[in-house]
């Protein structure tokens, strides 16, 4: 049920105090729990803000009868930002209450407001009285981490310290939400919803287990009196007191073992696999203690790391069971487990890592009952030794933070402590062992979180080798890894090679596709301007590494070996190829013991792997965009590795060349900040280079980026500096016959022409474009043909801007038909630019159906490839939306535009293209509202379009005048005649200042005619009246 009350300060009345609300809650619960089955149900309270105070008070009221039964039925409470010790805005609430009291006959209860004041007596008494009650309750307290906007200011409504009860069995979780958002979730995919659902699922599973145990206990009393009530519970130690998370896995195990209603459903076996230190043993222990009551025959734990330890453990169990002095203890134990009176047992084989030496399956009893759990680093145990299993991943961020803070002794962490803890667990990759030992280090050495983080960065090896003197673990993080690496080196040279390569790549998403591409010949443009192939050995890759990656059997053997130690994780397949990930601590611990020279060699191999695999050109690679975006994290990682080389400046020229070429291609992806960094890196790499081709590529990319950022003067300056530094001093005469160089020079002219067009110098731009020619105009190279097409698209755009729509269609349609003969032209950004320009022109010629037939298939293809939200994809959608507006399909247009508004809203640092797109979205939505005569909505959207133009620096442009005209028209329809007249006068001046151009489809053509004529008529009519 949902129990609500009006929590606004102004709506509390004198009769509605905390006690009466709490009593009413109990009464409503009694009324709802009518049947016997309903009255047996456990209750979980989920309380937001003041609701938590009401729930606590409801559990403290002195009641009898049915209300007392409701109190006894409460299993747990989830508090969402409940002010246990008062609310910071209570003082503000008191002021509001006094204002309402003075202005309204409804007299707010000052008792309630007073109770909410910081550390008030009433609130403190409720909390103090509640603490003794908590021993029988499960408690989870969520606290807010974002300030709440209260209109005039922002504040943390309930501070973290107030939102926590500070009791031993309380689970504390921070949420990246404000006071309102902490109880409101956008969708099932809201990241703040997952922790809440996870905790409720743990509650649900525990309640089911308790009910199951009660049922079993009752049936045992009635008919199974022969079963021992003193079952052996043999585990070496309880789960650590900082155990957090793993609720989903524990629920999965309980469903696997206990879902069947049949008493003899067959022996069930389950494996928990994962990296050393990921918490496999702890999960097994938690499962055993949590489900202890189900195993009436006993719970048995054996260490299976070696044959002697396993046999010794079984011998001790035999003695505990009183099986006598038998010669074969293992057989005696199996025989005991096989007895029909011993059917409800759990057997745990812990640390079964060496499955070849220790054949644990021979210790499984041959029965149709019993449950077996195996913990192992070897993921091959799942399916081969056990029926089912799971591979442990790192802890969730919030869970890892809770472990660290609890272990470090931070019982009342501040928001700053929480942020420091977050940074630490990110460094540790949320690995349970590492996080737990970090907390122990902080506590035992009396360190602050900040000082630990600094020390970890400065002395990582020393910190990772720390072992608590009285800790629960035998090995440190470092030694746990060291043992594994030594074993891998002994067993498989190939696996060791792969692991070392992975150490210098991005830890996540190491795709088999990237590795295979890196070790295969890759397409490049040659000096003739044609496609050629670069062999991986010529790219500098190690021949042994190439042979390993290209040998499918050898590669699979090496991967299997790494998986057997859980040193890597196998992620989802993509198109039949695998993705791997490796924990950051594995990367560090595996690479650090290497001599510096060997570290340098593997760094260089990782750099070359990424350089050779990264796609260079949208025309050479059909999947250029998808491949580039997926590999970008590795590009960012190898830049860090390049900086770690002993002497980066002495790096071979060939490596610098490959890095420069790769970074120029990578600079087309991601955000503006990355694009700037990539271009700056190329400039540094080419500082002492004489490679004219790469330098012209750099000049063109930098010019394009500056133009996208709206810095046209700087863009032109970049082109001029290149000409003065490279062209004018005299370049290599061989370049005169270099088609690749000539094509790239053409790209430079295209960039220059774009700047001219942006400055409305259309005639000069056309002249410059026509000056460029292929070396052999009759037989242009492939690279030169691409530039010719780009040039013709730009010539078509110039005709469009001048209003020569049909002539522009003729030019662009010819380019489209010609491009169909080249398969590499399909799906590229240039093609989408071409299609969007053609679509715009069809709309201008009142042929929206032609636009839709051209764009709808492309849009569906973009959705299938998930590329609809990249720049060229957004451009296609804007044109498609315009076609729907022109054909009267306003709902379809609004659907696309609303989706685009959300996409643009996620861009942190929009460039000029994105800013233009934002303007088009709001101007289009405004036109739809305008056409429908929804004047308030139209005015709102026109104002947003106006703000977008101001962000573009276009407030003195005719576009701004046209938007102001539309605003004036809407104001006149809202009968704000004087305001409309003032805005209209300013708009006229702006419109008359520029020569008419057709920059934006529809907006600069029919809409300009419609809106200018409309406002003039409106003003004339108002003047006449």
């Amino acid at each position: 049920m949902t129990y609500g009350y009006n929590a606004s300060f102004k709506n509390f009345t004198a009769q509605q105090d905390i006690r009466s609300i709490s009593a009413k809650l109990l009464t409503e619960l009694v009324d709802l729990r009518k049947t016997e089955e309903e009255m047996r149900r456990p209750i979980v309270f989920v309380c937001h803000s003041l609701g938590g105070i009401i729930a606590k008070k409801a559990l403290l009221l002195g009641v009898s009868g049915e209300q007392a039964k409701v109190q006894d039925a409460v299993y747990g409470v989830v508090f969402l930002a409940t002010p246990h010790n008062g609310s910071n805005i209570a003082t503000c609430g008191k002021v509001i209450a006094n204002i309402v009291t003075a202005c309204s006959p409804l007299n707010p209860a000052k008792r309630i407001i007073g109770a909410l004041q910081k550390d008030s007596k009433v609130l403190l008494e409720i909390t103090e009285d509640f603490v003794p009650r908590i021993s029988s309750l499960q408690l989870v307290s969520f606290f807010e981490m974002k300030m709440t906007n209260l209109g005039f200011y922002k504040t943390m409504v309930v501070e973290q310290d107030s939102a926590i009860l500070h009791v031993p069995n309380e689970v504390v979780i921070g949420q990246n939400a404000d006071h309102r958002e902490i109880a409101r979730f956008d969708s099932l995919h809201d990241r703040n919803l997952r922790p809440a659902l996870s905790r409720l699922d743990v509650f649900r599973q525990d309640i089911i287990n308790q009910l199951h145990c009660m049922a079993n206990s009752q049936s045992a009393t009635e008919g199974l009196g022969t079963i021992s009530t003193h079952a052996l519970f043999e585990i070496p130690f309880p789960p650590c007191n900082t155990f957090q998370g793993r609720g989903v896995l524990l629920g999965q195990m309980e469903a696997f073992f206990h879902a069947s209603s049949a008493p003899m459903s067959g022996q069930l076996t389950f494996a928990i696999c994962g990296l050393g230190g990921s918490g496999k043993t702890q999960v097994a222990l938690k499962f055993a203690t949590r489900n202890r009551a189900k195993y009436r025959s006993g719970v048995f734990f054996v260490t299976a790391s070696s044959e002697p330890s396993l046999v010794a453990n079984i011998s001790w169990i035999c003695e505990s069971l009183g099986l006598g002095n038998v010669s074969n203890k293992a057989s005696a134990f199996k025989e005991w487990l096989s007895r029909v009176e011993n059917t409800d047992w759990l057997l745990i084989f812990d640390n079964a890592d060496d499955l070849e030496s220790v054949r644990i399956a021979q210790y499984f009893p041959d029965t149709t009952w019993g449950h077996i759990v195996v913990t192992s680093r070897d993921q091959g145990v799942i399916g081969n030794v056990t029926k089912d299993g799971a591979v442990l991943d790192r802890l969730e961020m919030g869970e890892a933070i809770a472990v660290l803070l609890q272990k470090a002794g931070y019982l009342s962490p501040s928001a700053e402590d929480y942020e420091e803890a977050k940074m630490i667990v990110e460094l540790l990759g949320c690995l349970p062992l590492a996080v737990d030992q970090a907390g122990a280090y902080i506590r035992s050495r009396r360190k602050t979180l900040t000082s630990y983080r600094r020390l970890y960065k400065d002395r990582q090896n020393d910190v990772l080798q720390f072992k608590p003197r009285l800790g629960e673990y035998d090995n440190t993080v470092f030694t746990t890894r060291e043992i594994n690496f030594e074993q891998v080196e002994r067993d498989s040279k190939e696996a060791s090679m792969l692991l070392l390569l992975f150490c210098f790549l991005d830890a996540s998403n190491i795709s088999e596709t990237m590795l295979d591409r890196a070790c295969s010949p890759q397409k490049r443009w040659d000096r003739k301007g044609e496609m050629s192939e670069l062999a991986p050995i010529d790219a500098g890759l190690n021949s042994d590494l190439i042979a390993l990656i290209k040998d499918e059997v050898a590669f699979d053997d090496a991967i299997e070996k790494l998986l057997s130690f859980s040193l890597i994780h196998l992620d989802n397949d993509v198109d039949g190829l695998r993705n791997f990930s490796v924990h950051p601590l594995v990367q560090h611990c595996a690479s650090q013991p290497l001599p510096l020279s060997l570290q340098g060699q593997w760094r260089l191999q990782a750099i070359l792997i990424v350089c050779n695999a990264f796609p260079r050109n949208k025309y050479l690679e059909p999947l250029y965009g998808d491949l580039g975006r997926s590999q970008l994290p590795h590009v960012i990682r190898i830049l860090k590795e390049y900086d770690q080389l002993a002497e980066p400046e002495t790096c071979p020229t060939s490596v610098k060349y490959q890095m420069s070429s790769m970074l120029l291609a990578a600079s087309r992806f991601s955000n503006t900040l990355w694009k700037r960094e990539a271009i700056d890196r190329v400039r540094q790499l080419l500082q002492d280079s004489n490679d004219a081709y790469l330098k012209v590529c750099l000049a063109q990319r930098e010019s394009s980026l500056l133009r996208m950022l709206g810095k046209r003067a700087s863009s032109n300056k970049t082109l001029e500096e290149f000409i003065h530094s490279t062209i004018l001093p005299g370049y290599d005469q061989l370049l005169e016959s270099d088609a690749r160089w000539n094509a790239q020079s053409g790209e430079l002219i295209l960039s220059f022409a774009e700047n001219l067009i942006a400055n409305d110098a259309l005639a000069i731009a056309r002249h410059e474009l026509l000056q460029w020619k292929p070396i052999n105009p009759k037989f242009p190279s492939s690279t030169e043909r691409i530039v010719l097409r780009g040039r013709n698209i730009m010539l078509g755009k110039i005709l469009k801007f001048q209003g020569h729509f049909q002539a522009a269609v003729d030019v662009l349609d010819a380019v489209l038909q010609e491009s169909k003969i080249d398969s590499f032209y399909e799906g590229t950004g240039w093609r989408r630019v071409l299609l969007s320009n053609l679509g715009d022109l069809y709309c201008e010629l009142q042929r929206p159906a032609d636009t839709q037939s051209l764009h709808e298939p492309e849009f569906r293809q973009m959705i299938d490839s998930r590329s609809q939200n990249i720049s060229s994809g957004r451009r296609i959608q804007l044109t498609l939306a315009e076609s729907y507006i022109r054909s009267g399909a306003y709902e379809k247009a609004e659907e696309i535009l609303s989706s685009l508004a959300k996409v643009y809203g996620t861009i942190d640092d929009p460039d000029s293209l994105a800013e233009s797109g934002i303007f088009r979205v709001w101007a289009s939505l405004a036109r739809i509202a305008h056409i429908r005569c929804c004047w308030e909505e139209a005015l709102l959207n026109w104002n947003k379009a106006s703000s977008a133009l101001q962000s573009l620096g276009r407030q003195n442009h005719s576009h701004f005048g046209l938007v102001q005209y539309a605003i004036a028209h809407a104001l006149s329809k809202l009968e704000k005649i004087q305001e409309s007249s003032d805005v209209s006068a300013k708009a006229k001046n702006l419109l008359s200042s520029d020569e008419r151009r057709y920059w934006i489809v529809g907006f600069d053509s029919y809409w300009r005619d419609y809106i200018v004529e409309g406002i003039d008529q409106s003003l004339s009519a108002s003047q006449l009246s």
Side-chain angles (χ1 to χ4, degrees):
M1 65 169 276
T2 300
Y3 179 74
Y5 59 92
N6 201 331
S8 300
F9 289 119
K10 65 181 181 181
N11 291 309
F12 281 107
T13 64
Q15 290 75 33
Q16 192 181 13
D17 63 5
I18 294 174
R19 182 182 182 86
S20 61
I21 296 172
S22 304
K24 191 172 186 298
L25 169 61
L26 292 177
T27 302
E28 290 195 19
L29 283 169
V30 169
D31 293 341
L32 282 171
R33 293 159 63 87
K34 295 177 180 177
T35 68
E36 186 177 340
E37 188 273 333
E38 287 172 345
M39 287 189 284
R40 285 201 306 265
R41 287 182 190 171
I43 295 172
V44 173
F45 285 136
V46 180
C47 315
H48 176 230
S49 192
L50 307 182
I53 299 171
I54 302 302
K56 289 192 296 182
K57 186 65 176 178
L59 294 174
L60 296 174
L61 291 175
V63 293
S64 59
E66 297 302 319
Q67 288 189 336
K69 290 180 181 179
V70 168
Q71 289 178 331
D72 293 339
V74 175
Y75 163 85
V77 187
V78 176
F79 294 109
L80 302 172
T82 290
H84 298 295
N85 300 305
S87 169
N88 276 345
I89 67 164
T91 306
C92 172
K94 190 174 182 180
V95 173
I96 294 171
N98 290 333
I99 293 172
V100 175
T101 302
C103 300
S104 170
L106 295 175
N107 197 3
K110 296 182 181 179
R111 247 189 319 172
I112 293 289
I113 307 301
L116 291 175
Q117 285 185 286
K118 191 71 173 176
D119 298 323
S120 74
K121 184 178 179 182
V122 174
L123 204 54
L124 187 60
E125 287 174 354
I126 292 175
T127 300
E128 286 180 345
D129 293 343
F130 182 68
V131 169
R133 173 77 169 80
I134 65 172
S135 59
S136 60
L137 295 175
Q138 299 295 318
L139 301 175
V140 180
S141 296
F142 289 90
F143 62 88
E144 62 205 63
M145 295 171 61
K146 285 172 58 179
M147 290 189 175
T148 303
N149 190 339
L150 297 179
F152 301 106
Y153 63 99
K154 288 185 177 181
T155 187
M156 199 70 76
V157 176
V158 178
E159 295 284 355
Q160 179 181 343
D161 190 58
S162 178
I164 300 172
L165 283 163
H166 306 291
V167 292
N169 62 328
E170 179 186 23
V171 176
V172 178
I173 300 173
Q175 291 281 61
N176 186 30
D178 64 22
H179 193 68
R180 301 185 188 101
E181 294 167 347
I182 201 167
R184 299 176 184 175
F185 310 103
D186 293 336
S187 68
L188 288 174
H189 305 292
D190 191 321
R191 292 192 66 179
N192 284 330
L193 178 59
R194 189 191 310 161
L197 287 182
S198 175
R199 291 298 155 191
L200 289 174
D201 188 59
V202 171
F203 281 10
R204 181 182 64 85
Q205 287 292 338
D206 198 37
I207 289 170
I208 291 171
N209 294 339
Q210 288 184 17
L211 293 175
H212 182 76
C213 293
M214 288 168 62
N216 285 346
S217 175
Q218 184 177 356
S219 61
T221 304
E222 292 171 355
L224 294 174
T226 58
I227 296 178
S228 171
T229 58
H230 302 287
L232 189 66
F233 184 71
E234 175 51 39
I235 61 173
F237 44 82
C240 66
N241 56 10
T242 57
F243 186 93
Q244 291 281 342
R246 308 304 192 197
V248 173
L249 175 56
L250 288 167
Q252 179 186 346
M253 293 173 68
E254 285 162 351
F256 174 75
F257 283 126
H258 305 300
S260 175
S261 58
M264 301 292 184
S265 58
Q267 189 183 92
L268 298 176
T269 53
F270 191 96
I272 306 168
C273 300
L275 185 64
S278 60
K280 302 181 294 295
T281 301
Q282 291 295 324
V283 172
L285 293 171
K286 188 70 173 180
F287 175 80
T289 54
R290 196 162 120 156
N291 295 274
R292 176 177 181 175
K294 295 187 180 79
Y295 298 110
R296 292 170 294 166
S297 301
V299 173
F300 309 100
F301 185 103
V302 295
T303 301
S305 56
S306 67
E307 198 81 36
S309 65
L310 193 154
V311 171
N313 279 196
I314 290 177
S315 298
W316 196 93
I317 292 171
C318 287
E319 292 178 13
S320 300
L321 290 172
L323 297 182
N325 190 18
V326 293
S327 58
N328 191 330
K329 300 289 179 69
S331 295
F333 182 43
K334 286 170 64 177
E335 187 275 329
W336 187 90
L337 295 172
S338 303
R339 296 176 188 174
V340 292
E341 66 269 24
N342 299 326
T343 57
D344 299 319
W345 47 260
L346 171 65
L347 178 56
I348 300 172
F349 289 87
D350 188 45
N351 286 335
D353 300 327
D354 191 354
L355 296 172
E356 294 181 7
S357 300
V358 185
R359 303 280 180 173
I360 61 172
Q362 67 183 347
Y363 294 95
F364 293 4
D366 186 15
T367 65
T368 58
W369 57 75
H371 297 163
I372 296 175
V373 172
V374 177
T375 74
S376 177
R377 294 175 188 171
D378 192 341
Q379 298 171 29
V381 69
I382 303 172
N384 292 314
V385 178
T386 65
K387 292 180 180 179
D388 201 357
V391 179
L392 282 182
D393 203 350
R394 60 188 70 187
L395 286 171
E396 293 288 340
M397 179 68 70
E399 296 164 351
I401 291 170
V403 170
L404 178 67
L405 292 174
Q406 187 175 345
K407 192 73 175 183
Y410 280 72
L411 299 180
S412 303
S414 64
E416 291 77 14
D417 293 334
Y418 193 90
E419 285 303 315
E420 278 292 337
K422 181 180 179 182
M423 288 187 277
I424 291 172
V425 299
E426 282 176 343
L427 288 172
L428 299 171
C430 295
L431 185 71
L433 174 60
V435 173
D436 191 87
Q437 292 190 350
Y441 189 101
I442 292 167
R443 193 166 195 165
S444 64
R445 301 290 176 90
R446 304 294 192 272
K447 293 285 183 183
T448 64
L449 293 166
T450 304
S451 63
Y452 176 86
R453 183 165 62 88
R454 175 190 52 75
L455 188 63
Y456 181 86
K457 289 183 175 181
D458 295 341
R459 304 279 296 276
Q460 188 172 358
N461 285 353
D462 295 333
V463 172
L464 290 176
Q465 293 185 60
F466 167 77
K467 179 184 176 183
R469 186 171 57 87
L470 301 175
E472 300 158 338
Y473 302 100
D474 294 329
N475 292 316
T476 67
V477 175
F478 203 94
T479 54
T480 300
R481 305 287 164 269
E482 209 168 28
I483 295 166
N484 289 348
F485 305 146
E486 290 172 358
Q487 185 67 40
V488 169
E489 282 183 310
R490 286 195 298 268
D491 292 354
S492 171
K493 173 191 171 186
E494 292 77 13
S496 178
M497 287 174 61
L498 267 190
L499 180 61
L500 289 174
L501 174 66
F502 287 4
C503 285
F504 299 100
L505 295 171
D506 185 69
S508 60
N509 198 29
I510 302 171
S511 70
E512 201 168 0
T513 301
M514 182 181 75
L515 298 174
D516 183 70
R517 279 179 56 82
C519 295
S520 305
Q522 293 302 310
K523 296 173 183 177
R524 301 286 186 266
W525 293 124
D526 62 18
R527 288 180 176 272
K528 295 179 182 179
E530 302 299 338
M531 197 180 299
S532 63
E533 288 190 339
L534 175 68
I537 194 75
D538 295 331
L541 284 166
N542 180 282
S543 58
D544 291 339
L545 187 60
I546 297 170
L548 170 60
I549 292 174
K550 295 303 290 183
D551 185 331
E552 188 173 353
V553 174
F555 182 78
D556 286 346
D557 287 344
I559 290 295
E560 184 179 16
K561 176 59 68 175
L562 295 176
L563 287 172
S564 73
F565 286 94
S566 285
L567 291 171
I568 63 172
H569 191 276
L570 179 59
D571 300 320
N572 295 331
D573 289 5
V574 178
D575 297 328
L577 295 173
R578 296 164 293 185
N579 287 324
F580 311 104
S581 58
V582 55
H583 196 280
L585 289 180
V586 171
Q587 290 182 309
H588 175 81
C589 296
S591 60
Q592 286 308 300
L594 297 177
L596 289 177
S597 59
L598 197 53
Q599 287 185 36
Q601 291 175 28
W602 281 109
R603 276 197 173 92
L604 208 55
Q605 287 302 304
I607 290 169
L608 292 171
I609 281 278
V610 176
C611 285
N612 204 43
F614 199 88
R616 289 298 190 277
N617 192 286
K618 53 196 171 189
Y619 305 107
L620 293 174
E621 301 282 356
L623 298 175
Y624 167 74
D626 294 336
L627 289 170
R629 278 183 286 276
S630 67
Q631 293 178 24
L632 192 60
H634 296 288
V635 175
I636 296 169
R637 173 61 185 265
I638 65 164
L639 289 181
K640 296 176 182 177
E641 297 303 331
Y642 176 80
D643 293 338
Q644 291 297 313
L645 289 171
E647 295 179 348
E649 62 279 359
T650 63
C651 189
T653 303
S654 60
V655 175
K656 290 184 178 181
Y657 176 92
Q658 288 200 60
M659 286 188 67
S660 299
S661 174
M662 179 269 296
L663 285 170
L664 286 169
S667 69
R668 297 180 180 275
F669 298 95
S670 193
N671 56 32
T672 303
L673 188 63
W674 160 249
K675 291 173 181 177
R676 286 172 173 164
E677 182 183 351
I679 287 172
D680 288 343
R681 283 285 192 153
V682 175
R683 191 184 299 108
Q684 294 169 19
L685 289 165
L686 296 179
Q687 192 170 8
D688 300 321
S689 172
N690 295 319
D691 193 305
Y693 171 68
L694 279 180
K695 286 192 171 183
V696 72
C697 291
L698 172 61
Q700 188 271 329
R701 281 297 302 134
E702 187 169 10
S703 171
S704 297
L705 175 61
L706 289 168
R707 183 175 59 256
M708 283 192 293
L709 295 174
K711 300 178 179 179
R712 291 193 292 274
S714 298
S715 176
N716 279 330
K717 185 178 179 182
T718 297
L719 298 176
E720 291 168 3
E721 286 178 352
F722 171 75
I723 292 170
H724 285 292
S725 64
T726 306
I727 304 292
L728 295 182
Y731 56 85
D732 190 340
Q733 296 301 309
L734 292 175
L735 293 176
E736 292 183 358
S737 59
D738 190 327
R740 184 182 61 169
W741 157 265
N742 188 53
Q744 197 59 45
S745 298
E747 293 282 3
L748 208 65
I749 291 171
L750 293 182
S751 188
F752 181 53
E754 285 275 16
N755 289 340
L756 291 170
I757 291 171
N759 290 322
D760 201 18
L762 301 184
I764 300 173
R766 176 181 170 80
H767 174 78
E768 291 293 334
L769 289 169
L770 293 173
Q771 293 305 301
W772 181 83
K773 298 286 191 298
I775 292 174
N776 185 345
K778 291 185 178 180
F779 302 102
S781 66
S782 294
T783 51
E784 290 171 323
R785 281 191 290 118
I786 290 169
V787 176
L788 281 172
R789 286 173 188 159
R791 184 192 71 175
N792 290 339
I793 290 173
M794 202 167 291
L795 289 170
K797 286 168 64 177
I798 290 173
L799 288 170
K800 183 184 78 168
F801 296 151
Q802 291 172 329
H804 306 308
F805 300 138
Q806 186 57 57
V809 166
D810 294 340
V811 171
L812 296 183
D813 190 58
V815 174
L816 180 63
Q817 299 309 316
E818 182 187 351
S819 71
K820 291 179 180 178
I821 64 174
D822 290 327
S823 59
F824 60 68
Y825 202 65
E826 289 293 322
T828 63
W830 267 115
R831 183 173 183 275
R832 288 177 181 165
V833 169
L834 172 60
L835 292 180
S836 59
N837 277 283
L838 263 175
D840 287 348
L841 288 165
Y842 289 149
C843 287
E844 297 288 20
L845 294 169
Q846 300 183 28
R847 295 161 54 185
D850 290 340
T851 298
Q852 290 157 25
S853 64
L854 195 66
H855 281 53
E856 285 175 345
E858 188 73 18
F859 186 38
R860 287 193 292 270
Q861 182 182 336
M862 290 190 301
I863 290 174
D864 291 341
S865 63
R866 298 180 180 179
S867 60
Q868 72 271 25
N869 292 332
I870 63 174
S871 179
S872 59
R874 299 192 298 263
R875 182 72 173 78
I876 288 285
Q877 291 182 74
L878 286 167
T879 301
L880 187 57
E882 178 62 30
S883 75
Y884 290 143
I885 293 173
R886 297 302 292 270
S887 58
Y890 301 129
E891 291 79 9
K892 285 186 174 181
E894 283 179 316
E895 183 180 353
I896 290 176
L897 293 168
S898 297
S899 174
L900 283 172
K902 292 179 181 178
V903 172
Y904 281 119
T906 63
I907 302 175
D908 293 329
D909 186 17
D911 56 28
S912 62
L913 283 177
E915 292 280 12
S916 296
I918 293 168
F919 166 70
R920 285 191 61 176
V921 165
W922 293 117
S924 297
L925 287 170
R927 280 189 288 147
I928 294 172
H930 216 110
I931 292 166
R932 288 172 165 171
C933 299
C934 301
W935 304 117
E936 294 285 0
E937 182 182 351
L939 192 60
L940 176 67
N941 289 334
W942 283 124
N943 281 319
K944 290 181 178 178
S946 178
S947 297
L949 285 175
Q950 288 174 324
S951 297
L952 277 164
R954 307 292 289 273
Q955 57 267 35
N956 296 318
H957 192 272
S958 59
H959 278 159
F960 195 76
L962 190 50
V963 168
Q964 295 304 304
Y965 247 114
I967 289 173
H969 189 228
L971 288 169
S972 71
K973 293 297 182 180
L974 291 169
E975 299 183 356
K976 299 180 179 180
I977 304 303
Q978 185 57 52
E979 192 176 348
S980 172
S981 179
D982 294 343
V983 174
S984 175
K986 295 176 183 177
K988 274 187 179 180
N989 293 332
L990 288 170
L991 279 181
S992 62
S993 63
D994 291 337
E995 183 179 353
R996 186 168 183 177
R997 298 295 187 201
Y998 298 85
W999 302 107
I1000 296 178
V1001 59
F1003 183 72
D1004 289 307
S1005 53
Y1006 86 91
W1007 186 256
R1008 176 168 174 161
D1009 296 335
Y1010 164 76
I1011 205 68
V1012 172
E1013 182 180 341
I1015 187 62
D1016 288 345
Q1017 288 178 353
S1018 296
L1019 291 175
S1020 297
S1022 64
Q1023 290 167 359
L1024 289 172
S1025 61

